Amino acid sequence: MTTETTLEPASPPERSAPLLTASDLHIAFPGRRGADPARAVDGVDLDIRRGEIVALVGESGCGKTTLARSLLGLVPPTSGRVTFDGKPLDYRSRALKAYRKRVQLVLQDPSGSLNPRHTVYEAVAEGLRIHGYGGDERAAVGDALSRAGLRPPERFFLRYPHELSGGQRQRVVIAGALVLEPELIVADEPVASLDASVRGEILALLLRLREELGLSALVVTHDLGLAWNIADRVAVMYLGRIVETGAVEDVLTAPQHPYTQALLSVLPEAEGEPVVLTGEPPDPSRVPGGCRFHARCQILAGGEAERAGVASDCRTKDLPVLSGAGGTQVACHWAAVRG
Ligand SMILES: Nc1ncnc2c1ncn2[C@@H]1O[C@H](COP(=O)(O)OP(=O)(O)O)[C@@H](O)[C@H]1O
Ligand code: SF4
Ligand SMILES: [Mg+2]
């Protein structure tokens, strides 16, 4: 698979104990005007191991940002839990503050994350000040800017966001995250607002940081090509649930869930007919019974689920991501019997 960003696929790190785990995580927002609650995250199990980059992919509105924010402790779960480094997240303010030093968020739109009245130096030093850093602030800011590829860093100290390119602004945001020496970065659509020409540079930067610092990352993206270029593992989300997860090359070259197959079929480089998803777009206040994808599923509509003898299960039995040792995990009655 090729995209406009042409990087080598990342090599998978050693399998190790998860750094971060979400277990049966649910987040529901109160429904508007008597509507049912919006089940934005609806039973997610997800692991991120040390030194691993996991891509979280899925259509807009499927719950990616809500899940990412909950992993940072910004949205408390309705039920289920998040565990970091073996310990459940503690939502009391002091503990959360310490946690947010170890896990940093990088947002989509660098202009939105940077205060236009703050210099680059102030933007990067802010986190250090919040966390009462006792070391050499100037050296730490310079080091973070260098790592983010803004060299020599002193040249950028007194610049304002409007004096920088979009790619440089995103590097400042990344430097602001790196300065706290986090163990995990959660990046929500980190290159979506950038020109194609600088996207590859920012992705290369994230990969280099993984190599140099052993960083782990969850990269949220609606772009499967980006997942291919950057991630070790991919988790495909549909209507609040992970429906398929596995090594990037397995999931993207041999997708098993009909939803993943449909997403891949519309990429420009895909072979065969694109799958046009029918039915209503996902609405988390109306999660259908049975398999939550069933009203839009091309395999059910095309009669293949019927022929495999699972059509009635598709319509009536909800299913979690089926566990499998290693390999790809998939939440689909049809994929399970197809072997
Ligand atoms: N604060 C909120 N209150 C009510 N509904 C929300 C809130 N935040 C997100 N949602 C709903 O949750 C669903 C998932 O949203 P989001 O996590 O932003 O998805 P994604 O990032 O995949 O586009 C959407 O239907 C959205 O409208
Ligand atoms: S369980 Fe059935 S309806 Fe759901 S994705 Fe699989 S084949 Fe389609
Ligand atoms: Mg989002």
Side-chain angles (χ1 to χ4, degrees):
M1 183 179 306
T2 56
T3 59
E4 55 216 350
T5 50
T6 48
L7 300 169
E8 290 299 308
S11 54
E14 300 282 312
R15 287 181 82 80
S16 58
L19 177 61
L20 183 135
T21 301
S23 310
D24 198 19
L25 203 67
H26 291 256
I27 297 158
F29 296 110
R32 288 188 201 102
R33 287 191 231 105
D36 286 337
R39 289 151 56 187
V41 174
D42 198 38
V44 162
D45 291 299
L46 183 69
D47 283 342
I48 303 169
R49 300 188 198 100
R50 285 183 195 279
E52 181 180 50
I53 299 186
V54 177
L56 179 65
V57 304
E59 284 167 297
S60 181
C62 71
K64 304 182 298 296
T65 293
T66 307
L67 174 59
R69 288 172 56 81
S70 75
L71 299 180
L72 283 145
L74 296 167
V75 185
T78 314
S79 67
R81 68 178 184 175
V82 176
T83 309
F84 184 78
D85 203 9
K87 296 188 199 73
L89 226 65
D90 180 341
Y91 291 89
R92 286 171 297 186
S93 57
R94 186 187 291 243
L96 264 191
K97 188 173 164 189
Y99 177 61
R100 295 214 191 107
K101 185 169 177 297
R102 301 177 72 184
V103 181
Q104 286 287 311
L105 178 63
V106 172
L107 287 170
Q108 168 175 163
D109 175 11
S111 317
S113 348
L114 293 172
N115 183 330
R117 288 189 292 278
H118 284 181
T119 60
V120 165
Y121 184 92
E122 288 166 327
V124 177
E126 189 183 2
L128 292 174
R129 290 173 187 172
I130 290 172
H131 290 280
Y133 180 68
D136 181 342
E137 183 185 277
R138 194 179 155 87
V141 170
D143 191 44
L145 286 169
S146 294
R147 284 192 189 284
L150 295 171
R151 301 191 195 98
E154 295 77 17
R155 238 184 65 208
F156 293 90
F157 278 179
L158 298 178
R159 300 256 197 105
Y160 286 89
H162 74 266
E163 299 172 309
L164 305 174
S165 69
Q168 287 174 328
R169 283 198 290 266
Q170 191 58 298
R171 287 175 191 273
V172 173
V173 172
I174 291 171
L178 290 179
V179 77
L180 292 164
E181 301 185 348
E183 290 155 73
L184 174 72
I185 284 192
V186 176
D188 194 351
E189 304 274 8
V191 294
S193 66
L194 299 177
D195 290 343
S197 58
V198 288
R199 241 179 245 172
E201 290 173 27
I202 297 292
L203 296 181
L205 169 65
L206 289 174
L207 284 173
R208 187 162 55 73
L209 292 171
R210 195 266 296 277
E211 297 295 316
E212 285 176 9
L213 308 175
L215 262 186
S216 314
L218 178 72
V219 178
V220 175
T221 177
H222 63 274
D223 178 351
L224 285 158
L226 188 153
W228 175 263
N229 281 322
I230 196 171
D232 306 301
R233 229 152 34 87
V234 62
V236 182
M237 193 165 183
Y238 183 77
L239 204 42
R241 189 74 64 79
I242 307 293
V243 295
E244 181 161 5
T245 178
V248 162
E249 49 281 24
D250 295 340
V251 173
L252 299 190
T253 55
Q256 295 182 40
H257 196 284
Y259 178 61
T260 318
Q261 293 174 350
L263 289 183
L264 283 163
S265 77
V266 296
L267 294 183
E269 56 270 46
E271 289 163 11
E273 283 296 299
V275 175
V276 179
L277 290 178
T278 54
E280 296 290 309
D283 174 353
S285 64
R286 287 186 292 166
V287 176
C291 163
R292 62 195 54 219
F293 185 58
H294 85 256
R296 301 175 78 198
C297 178
Q298 71 277 18
I299 296 295
L300 182 60
E304 288 172 65
E306 187 75 57
R307 286 191 284 283
V310 295
S312 114
D313 286 351
C314 290
R315 294 191 185 93
T316 57
K317 284 193 194 157
D318 190 10
L319 71 183
V321 174
L322 303 177
S323 52
T328 301
Q329 298 179 307
V330 58
C332 171
H333 298 297
W334 169 74
V337 297
R338 206 172 50 131

